[in-house]
Amino acid sequence: MTDEDARRASDLPLGVFDPAPVGVAVFSGADHRLIYMNYAYQEIVGERPIGAPARDTFHDISQKGYFALLDQVRDTGEAVSLKEIPFEYLDHPLAGQERYTSASVSKISLADGEDGVMIMALEVTGQVEANRLSGPIAEERHRFLQRYQSLIQLEKQAIWVSDPQGEVIEPSPGWQRFTGQPWEEYRGNGWLDALHPDDRGPTLAKWLKVVERLGHWDKVYRLKTPDGTYRHVHARAVPIVEGGKVVEWVGAFSDVEQEWQEEHRRRLLDQAAAATADLGSLDEVLRTLIDVIVPALADGCAIFVLPQFEDESVPLPFVAERLVSFARLGTPPAVGPQVIDADCDFTTAIRTRRPIRRVFPKGKPPPGGIPPGGEEWAVAAEANSLALVPVIVDGTVAAIVHAVVCGDREPLSTADVDMLGRMLDHAHVHLSNAMRFQRTQRVALALQNYLLPDPPQVPGLEITARYRASATSVEIGGDWYDSFMLPDGSTVLTIGDVAGHDLAAAVTMSQLRNMLRGLAMDRREPPGDILRRLNIATELLNGESTATCILARLEDLDSGVWSLRYSVAGHPPPLLVTHEGEARFLEEAVNPILGAAYDLPRSSAVAVLPSRSTLLLYTDGLVEVPREHLDVGLERLRRGAAALAREPLDTFCDKLLRLPMARKDDIAMIAVRLPGSGTRAGAPAGGQDPST
């Protein structure tokens, strides 16, 4: 025999086999030194010295191939089963008698890291057929052999046995050592108490289904260890079947925390890179990134986009925009600009370019200071830890990721913070492109807004304009609007769209808008005639450029009656919405686009506008949706505008921008709301002409 504390098969002491009714022998190393055999095996082979190589210990075996079989199993790892084979040991008292054995030869891992081979043997001398074995002793031997064959295949760390219904029926030293649960607590279904609360229900459901269907149990879950932390284990079990019925289940589990963490990190890195790969806008990239971070690493996350600092200093105060904010529980802090006016962990992370991690009692204010709104949410959500991770783009800190873990969940670890940094690095290309895209788009939008004037202040009229840049282009576009008053007191409204989405389109747009102003001021004539002259100038000055346009002149005809003279050059039609909620398009005076038909006449039309009605001019970005007929988008706009007829004009325009649309093109719109009856242009809205 041998000391069971000195000789172990992985985490299983070999002494557990001492009372087994089946012979068990264990060999170690390439020379197959015998390190253990139990009493039953000694009865089969006789007394043998422990510690000597197999070729010396069993020199008297008469069968050929015995040692080659040990080499084969150790080298290949494939188990071999032998049934009713003859054997003879010349030094055994029964030498000369014909004897038979059934055996299983398997490769095992020993506690010292050495590879070993285990033989489990059952002598069946005089019994040439399996059914000649009968009675409870033979059944016990057969079941024992099946059980430990199964355990070897499971590469056990800790073993357990349950009844046919799946309840644990035998003590497991390995389970108690790993979880700290005594036998009285984990017997039956008590073992479930050691599982992580989130894993308990799914694990039990799957285990009962396996028991019902007599399948093989294979599950990864988290077990609580004596120090209170959780580790991932890989549990497996097989049924022991006799006579077509399950008599028990034999199971084992092994600690796979390291492997799980490595796989988890790889999966998160791949998800971060893949999720952001085909996105263009910074908002989309950051929202998708948060979807990976929560709940895999955190319970809440916000991403702050920073201004561009000229050097490594962080001047106070500054404004950081909380661009996205998400929490698994509760309402997260609101998005929007946040004023940072004091030194805190947030500014330290920017200056040092290093992550900051804080662990603190749940429900208490986080130390170190965090951006406005975050502290109240953290206390309410019972946050227990946070991390601030800088995002570096083109050598500067462009953003800060603020991740939070709440409640009883294990606080953020150093490894978690490192993982956050690696995820950001893994998505760096896509994140950097999105950051550059947003910065360039901001410059383009600022230039576009500079080129587009504010609507004039016309007494008695409300005029509002909107411009929204494409969500997918960083270039300045060719959409424009304009409004100005003529010397005779009438008001001009115009809108247009130059083909293209680049600087050339913006230059052409600016030229057309300025030329149109000059031509409209030059003489009083129908809008169609003005567009004819603009078209001639366009073809002569801008060559291949084309554009769409609406030119409209709004006139007060006394007694609160307003007329609109307009002409359309290939542009979506004006929309008229009455105060009562009726909406229709003005579809007359349709002409070719600018840049075509050179000096051909262009038509004009006149429409009478009811008091308190709203006139809307817009570009096609407001109504176009991919793979949808333009008429569908126009009808959607008509119905949407009709429903907003009595909303304030600013609200009217803002809500129209929320209608379904592609967002791949710029949108320009200008809207005018007429006064009530009895109010004329030049008179205060809601009052009478002071000259009367």
Side-chain angles (χ1 to χ4, degrees), residues 566-568 585-590 603-606:
Y566 68 97
S567 182
V568 179
F585 292 106
L586 306 181
E587 298 179 308
E588 299 181 63
V590 176
S603 61
S604 301
V606 180

Side-chain angles (χ1 to χ4, degrees), residues 45 117 179 295 303 315 418 507 520 563 631 662:
V45 302
V117 175
T179 65
I303 300 182
D418 178 67
V507 171
S563 73
D631 287 348

Side-chain angles (χ1 to χ4, degrees), residues 483-532:
S483 179
F484 51 91
M485 292 186 67
L486 295 176
D488 62 5
S490 59
T491 302
V492 171
L493 302 167
T494 182
I495 197 161
D497 186 0
V498 175
H501 212 286
D502 51 24
L503 186 58
V507 171
T508 301
M509 174 269 287
S510 182
Q511 291 173 341
L512 286 177
R513 184 176 63 83
N514 291 330
M515 283 194 294
L516 187 55
R517 275 198 166 208
L519 293 172
M521 287 284 190
D522 178 55
R523 66 187 74 166
R524 181 181 175 90
E525 61 183 351
D529 292 351
I530 297 174
L531 289 184
R532 180 186 65 81

Side-chain angles (χ1 to χ4, degrees), residues 621-641:
L622 186 62
V623 292
E624 286 187 341
V625 172
R627 297 177 297 279
E628 180 182 271
H629 196 281
L630 183 60
D631 287 348
V632 177
L634 289 170
E635 177 60 18
R636 179 169 52 244
L637 173 61
R638 190 194 68 79
R639 285 187 279 105

Side-chain angles (χ1 to χ4, degrees), residues 32 69 91 253 287 296 393 410 432 450 509 512 562 586 660 662:
H32 306 297
L69 180 61
D91 292 344
F253 72 85
R287 288 183 187 280
V393 175
E410 195 169 335
S432 298
Y450 177 77
M509 174 269 287
L512 286 177
W562 295 81
L586 306 181

Side-chain angles (χ1 to χ4, degrees), residues 341-371:
D341 56 6
D343 276 324
C344 56
D345 283 350
F346 194 88
T347 56
T348 301
I350 299 172
R351 273 198 307 268
T352 63
R353 302 186 176 199
R354 295 180 178 277
I356 291 178
R357 179 178 71 97
R358 295 283 191 178
V359 178
F360 46 90
K362 68 178 182 180
K364 299 294 183 181
I370 57 177

Side-chain angles (χ1 to χ4, degrees), residues 249-559:
W249 289 80
V250 180
F253 72 85
S254 55
D255 187 337
V256 294
E257 181 65 24
Q258 183 175 352
E259 296 91 330
W260 188 92
Q261 291 290 353
E262 291 174 355
E263 173 62 21
H264 181 60
R265 292 188 183 100
R266 184 196 62 76
R267 187 170 61 253
L268 286 179
L269 293 177
D270 290 346
Q271 287 178 357
T276 57
D278 298 321
L279 302 177
S281 74
L282 180 62
D283 186 70
E284 288 178 320
V285 170
L286 296 183
R287 288 183 187 280
T288 305
L289 199 56
I290 279 186
D291 286 342
V292 179
I293 295 173
V294 179
L297 289 175
D299 295 310
C301 187
I303 300 182
F304 295 82
V305 177
L306 306 177
Q308 287 185 275
F309 300 114
E310 294 184 358
D311 49 40
E312 294 186 1
S313 64
V314 183
L316 296 173
F318 66 89
V319 175
E321 183 178 4
R322 188 187 276 120
L323 194 61
V324 289
S325 180
F326 180 77
R328 190 163 63 145
L329 300 172
T331 302
V335 298
Q338 309 293 325
V339 177
I340 311 298
D341 56 6
D343 276 324
C344 56
D345 283 350
F346 194 88
T347 56
T348 301
I350 299 172
R351 273 198 307 268
T352 63
R353 302 186 176 199
R354 295 180 178 277
I356 291 178
R357 179 178 71 97
R358 295 283 191 178
V359 178
F360 46 90
K362 68 178 182 180
K364 299 294 183 181
I370 57 177
E375 181 174 301
E376 293 82 355
W377 176 83
V379 171
E382 296 191 326
N384 62 40
S385 56
L386 65 83
L388 297 165
V389 183
V391 179
I392 299 175
V393 175
D394 295 337
T396 63
V397 180
I400 293 289
V401 176
H402 178 207
V404 179
V405 164
C406 304
D408 294 328
R409 184 172 178 174
E410 195 169 335
L412 283 164
S413 65
T414 303
D416 292 330
V417 177
D418 178 67
M419 188 64 215
L420 273 173
R422 291 176 61 189
M423 288 173 64
L424 296 172
D425 289 342
H426 223 56
H428 183 265
V429 172
H430 311 305
L431 195 55
S432 298
N433 289 341
M435 288 282 188
R436 296 188 196 103
F437 179 96
Q438 190 201 47
R439 288 174 176 175
T440 308
Q441 192 180 49
R442 282 178 175 175
V443 174
L445 183 58
L447 179 58
Q448 186 88 9
N449 287 331
Y450 177 77
L451 293 174
L452 296 175
D454 292 330
Q457 298 294 319
V458 180
L461 297 179
E462 291 183 67
I463 304 177
T464 296
R466 294 288 186 272
Y467 175 81
R468 190 172 75 182
S470 163
T472 60
S473 176
V474 298
E475 298 284 357
I476 187 171
D479 292 31
W480 94 86
Y481 60 80
D482 199 2
S483 179
F484 51 91
M485 292 186 67
L486 295 176
D488 62 5
S490 59
T491 302
V492 171
L493 302 167
T494 182
I495 197 161
D497 186 0
V498 175
H501 212 286
D502 51 24
L503 186 58
V507 171
T508 301
M509 174 269 287
S510 182
Q511 291 173 341
L512 286 177
R513 184 176 63 83
N514 291 330
M515 283 194 294
L516 187 55
R517 275 198 166 208
L519 293 172
M521 287 284 190
D522 178 55
R523 66 187 74 166
R524 181 181 175 90
E525 61 183 351
D529 292 351
I530 297 174
L531 289 184
R532 180 186 65 81
R533 291 196 288 145
L534 179 63
N535 187 53
I536 294 172
T538 299
E539 293 198 48
L540 291 176
L541 297 177
N542 295 307
E544 301 298 323
S545 295
T546 61
T548 65
C549 179
I550 295 178
L551 176 63
R553 186 170 66 242
L554 188 61
E555 302 176 34
D556 183 2
L557 301 180
D558 295 330
S559 303

